Amino acid sequence: MSAPNKSYDPVEVEALKPAEVERMRDEALAAIAAASTLDELQQVKVAHAGDRSPLALANREIGALPPHAKADAGKRVGQARGAVNKALAARREALEAERDARVLVDEAVDVTLPTDRYPRGARHPLTSLADRIADVFTAMGYSVAEGPEVEAEWLNFDALNMGPDHPARTMQDTFFLKDTDSVVLRTHTSPVQIRSMLATSEPPVYVVCPGRVFRTDELDATHSPVFNQVELLAVDEGLTMADLKGTLDHMVRALFGEGLATRLRPSYFPFTEPSAEMDMVCFACRGESVGNPDRPCRTCSSEGWIELGGCGMVNPRVLRAAGVDPERYSGFAFGFGIDRMLMFRHNVEDMRDIFEGDVRFTLPFGMEI
Ligand code: DAH
């Protein structure tokens, strides 16, 4: 800033000459008009209306003028700065309106366009079936029990009356765990029977046990080294085979509908005595395909019956191994494979479809809560 002086006229100060002030104003107005974006306008504002702009610097000269010259020069510079600020505001308003109009077009959303839908998954049909079976039994007062997939050999075999020389223990059927002492991948859900009895201080015991089991089978259309079973165990005073039969009849009714007879065929399992295989009348042909070549049935291979699983009265030796007094209590048990049940219930022809995890298999079964 110049030193105060009392004598000279503002027109003698270069920056305050009318023509110079006009030039600075016109230059600013031209730059404002030429700014085509808000960012550019911001730069123009700094250059022509900021603290270090020519007009702001000229304004500072006014202070050094003698009093009689101040008003005139101040008016001139003030008007020029006013015109610049007004032009800046007007240009800003115009550019903002332009931007808003553009955004409205660019970012418009057509709510009528179809969206990219994320496909909804479905529960695996095996999970649904296992839950449904468990529901049938919990409705009768049973609890759901689960055991570990890596199981003590004693629980998987010995306690179930399958001694050390039992054929099922050989390497052909059982996955033994390396470097462990008597630990296997459970070959069936029956060890959960023992665990459930041991966990209760005194019967009654009513449990349903769904779970994954393992055997050294090759994977093909009807076999898998990993498959799924459901085990049933009831231990109470006075239970008989009639209770077993009634319970299984109820299960078949709940899962497959009314009017399907069941039958027990004598069989052998070390952990039940007596033991039986349980069949139900084919729900698809209701037995009508038997001896009727005009009406073959894929579900039961025209045999009229479908085998469901093994069952029987719990062997007293098993009760004793699990700390239950066989003089006072009796029990029945039932075990069956639910992959097989899923296959015949829904006409699944290849077991591998169940395990491969392809949604084209899972989705048709839909959502089931
Ligand atoms: N645990 C047998 C298996 O995996 C199935 C079985 C048969 C379970 C008879 C039982 C039963 O509870 O009573 O082959």
Side-chain angles (χ1 to χ4, degrees):
M1 201 194 295
S2 316
N5 73 74
K6 303 193 179 353
S7 60
Y8 63 71
D9 194 275
V11 294
E12 287 176 7
V13 177
E14 182 64 22
L16 294 175
K17 282 183 179 165
E20 182 59 13
V21 172
E22 256 172 51
R23 191 193 59 76
M24 291 189 282
R25 182 199 62 196
D26 292 347
E27 209 170 273
L29 294 180
I32 291 166
S36 60
T37 66
L38 285 163
D39 283 348
E40 276 175 36
L41 188 65
Q42 181 58 25
Q43 286 169 18
V44 170
K45 185 180 173 186
V46 171
H48 293 278
D51 287 348
R52 309 203 54 77
S53 62
L55 278 169
L57 295 177
N59 196 47
R60 289 196 211 164
E61 301 285 350
I62 296 170
L65 293 180
H68 71 273
K70 269 189 187 168
D72 185 40
K75 192 174 163 203
R76 203 159 46 242
V77 175
Q79 277 175 350
R81 296 181 87 194
V84 169
N85 283 333
K86 209 168 144 208
L88 271 172
R91 187 73 188 131
R92 167 169 304 277
E93 207 173 296
L95 287 173
E96 278 177 354
E98 231 170 69
R99 178 202 58 194
D100 291 349
R102 195 173 50 246
V103 164
L104 277 182
V105 174
D106 288 355
E107 297 179 11
V109 175
D110 182 351
V111 293
T112 64
L113 285 177
T115 56
D116 276 345
R117 288 178 199 279
Y118 287 106
R120 261 224 191 151
R123 297 188 81 201
H124 196 282
L126 256 185
T127 315
S128 298
L129 182 58
D131 282 358
R132 195 174 264 245
I133 293 165
D135 281 352
V136 170
F137 289 101
T138 50
M140 286 193 277
Y142 285 67
S143 324
V144 176
E146 282 177 318
E149 292 173 359
V150 175
E151 186 57 286
E153 223 179 316
W154 185 82
L155 290 162
N156 193 79
F157 295 121
D158 301 72
L160 288 162
N161 197 30
M162 296 160 92
D165 52 355
H166 194 280
R169 288 174 87 129
T170 62
M171 293 299 274
Q172 280 133 49
D173 287 317
T174 309
F175 286 110
F176 290 86
L177 267 76
K178 223 173 159 184
D179 304 327
T180 60
D181 195 15
S182 312
V183 179
V184 298
L185 291 184
R186 68 177 175 194
T187 58
H188 51 180
T189 43
S190 301
V192 189
Q193 290 189 24
I194 309 294
R195 287 179 172 273
S196 302
M197 286 188 274
L198 289 173
T200 332
S201 55
E202 197 66 22
V205 174
Y206 288 91
V207 285
V208 55
C209 329
R212 210 155 27 170
V213 302
F214 308 84
R215 290 191 201 167
T216 55
D217 285 332
E218 294 296 326
L219 181 65
D220 62 27
T222 52
H223 294 89
S224 161
V226 185
F227 54 104
N228 296 269
Q229 290 188 334
V230 172
E231 190 84 15
L232 196 70
L233 173 72
V235 181
D236 208 337
E237 285 183 63
L239 289 181
T240 69
M241 209 112 176
D243 297 302
L244 168 63
K245 178 83 159 68
T247 305
L248 297 182
D249 282 354
H250 175 73
M251 182 190 82
V252 167
R253 215 177 302 131
L255 293 176
F256 294 94
E258 297 287 339
L260 296 165
T262 64
R263 72 179 181 194
L264 298 178
R265 278 179 292 113
S267 185
Y268 172 77
F269 299 100
F271 30 89
T272 42
E273 184 55 40
S275 302
E277 299 276 0
M278 184 242 178
D279 302 336
M280 63 179 273
V281 163
C282 174
F283 63 91
C285 71
R286 299 194 163 243
E288 283 168 23
S289 65
V290 182
N292 187 353
D294 298 336
R295 199 192 176 298
C297 180
R298 279 201 336 210
T299 305
C300 64
S301 310
S302 304
E303 286 177 5
W305 292 93
I306 299 172
E307 188 181 315
L308 279 190
C311 60
M313 300 307 291
V314 181
N315 192 315
R317 296 172 68 123
V318 174
L319 293 177
R320 222 174 280 123
V324 173
D325 178 4
E327 301 295 330
R328 182 166 171 203
Y329 297 106
S330 57
F332 61 77
F334 175 50
F336 60 109
I338 60 170
D339 315 273
R340 247 199 79 239
M341 181 180 273
L342 184 72
M343 287 174 80
F344 67 69
R345 199 167 180 259
H346 297 286
N347 278 324
V348 178
E349 288 183 358
D350 193 322
M351 200 170 191
R352 288 167 288 200
D353 289 338
I354 298 177
F355 301 114
E356 273 169 1
D358 190 325
V359 290
R360 287 173 300 177
F361 174 75
T362 319
L363 284 175
F365 290 90
M367 287 292 286
E368 198 173 24
I369 311 294

